[in-house]
Amino acid sequence: MPELPEVEHLKRTLEPLLIGALIRGVELRRRDVVNRRVRSRRRRIASADLLAGCTIARLVRHGKNLAIVSKCGRSLCVHLGMSGQMVFVPGRERMGDSMHVHCVWRVQNDNSGGRLVFRDPRRFGGIWTFDSIKSLRQARFEQLGPDALTITPAPLRAALAHSHRPIKAALLDQSVLAGVGNIYADESLWMARIHPASIASAIPAKRITDLARGIRMVLRASIRLGGSTIGTYLDGNGEAGEFAGSHQVYGRAGEPCGRCGRVLAQVVIAQRTTVFCMKCQKGYQQPNKPARA
DNA sequence: CCGGACTCCTGTGCGC
DNA sequence: TGCGCACAGGAGTCCG
């Protein structure tokens, strides 16, 4: 499932194909993937709203969101949800699996071009259209916490200081920290040796520093390997990622902890399957400072 | 106001 | 072998 590393890797694989490219046309097969849950959604979605006729200037990622920004300012925000893919199909090649293809852009670039294909079987993802990158940022990015790839201890402490939720639940909350999903929440808590049910505000500052470092390390390592392919994730070239083989806890309940050998436990926290080591991940249940009036 | 529960959706994998 | 069902999860919404 696509989380921050998958979206970042996708951005890097798409940039050489899309930057400077002209969108010659757009075929929207399912209009309800565009601007979903937007109250002011216009009845009709013009192809220009989906960047037809525009030249792509740059891609911008925040958390799990990818913005495609055109030279005229019109921008798209893409979220892959659970099962989304953005794949570039060069030239006139057939696309691998055309089931659940919701939008296709005809792209002309230096190498003559191809098609950019948005597929999303489960349809938890979507595409949002904006007249400017500024309005995209306001509507999408500014609702999110700091980007997890560059998270430092101070903002993470600030975001967690008044949260009485389990740390796992807080990490999954995109308004606290943008980009971490179920896989990387479990992996980074294992790295930082913090029990996922620990109450966020009870975790000592030193351990939050470890957690910030753990989050950055796990995300960077995954990006280097092209992300975690679980099920359907593919990058912009249609290739799978290799990081799933490096998972220390996710999907490994019942196997020995790679650090201490204790059998990894599985519980449910915040409605999500959670795998951790009972021996080397320490729990914090009481606030370390008395609440102020 | 905060946090937990529910909802959307389809492919996968397991058990009978 | 084949069928059917539980399960997976990002994030918006609702409710206590």
Side-chain angles (χ1 to χ4, degrees), chain A residues 138-154:
Chain A
Q138 283 175 353
R140 304 279 309 176
F141 292 2
E142 289 174 16
Q143 309 304 314
L144 304 173
D147 190 76
L149 187 56
T150 52
I151 190 67
T152 50

Side-chain angles (χ1 to χ4, degrees), chain A residues 52-111:
Chain A
C54 296
T55 299
I56 296 174
R58 61 201 164 98
L59 306 185
V60 183
R61 183 194 57 74
H62 189 87
K64 304 171 191 173
N65 290 264
L66 183 64
I68 301 175
V69 185
S70 75
K71 284 189 176 166
C72 71
R74 281 184 193 276
S75 302
L76 301 179
C77 186
V78 177
H79 195 297
L80 299 178
M82 269 287 294
S83 60
Q85 301 169 346
M86 285 285 268
V87 176
F88 186 84
V89 181
R92 297 182 178 279
E93 280 180 33
R94 285 180 60 88
M95 50 184 101
D97 185 350
S98 59
M99 281 280 286
H100 306 297
V101 167
H102 307 315
C103 194
V104 180
W105 292 265
R106 272 192 304 125
V107 177
Q108 181 183 330
N109 62 20
D110 293 341
N111 295 323

Side-chain angles (χ1 to χ4, degrees), chain A residues 221-276:
Chain A
S222 181
I223 291 168
R224 274 201 299 277
L225 292 177
S228 300
T229 289
I230 306 277
T232 56
Y233 167 78
L234 299 173
D235 70 19
N237 296 314
E239 290 170 12
E242 303 295 330
F243 189 68
S246 301
H247 291 167
Q248 294 293 329
V249 284
Y250 182 84
R252 299 189 57 178
E255 296 180 35
C257 172
R259 204 159 43 203
C260 75
R262 169 72 65 92
V263 171
L264 295 172
Q266 176 169 316
V267 296
V268 173
I269 297 175
Q271 284 77 246
R272 296 288 171 261
T273 300
T274 301
V275 184
F276 68 105

Side-chain angles (χ1 to χ4, degrees), chain A residues 4-6 8-9 12 149 184 187 191 213-228 241-248:
Chain A
L4 185 151
E6 292 74 31
E8 176 64 23
H9 181 75
R12 294 179 189 184
L149 187 56
Y184 300 103
E187 294 295 319
M191 288 277 291
R213 187 187 306 119
I215 290 167
R216 293 194 311 267
M217 284 178 62
V218 167
L219 296 178
R220 280 203 297 255
S222 181
I223 291 168
R224 274 201 299 277
L225 292 177
S228 300
E242 303 295 330
F243 189 68
S246 301
H247 291 167
Q248 294 293 329

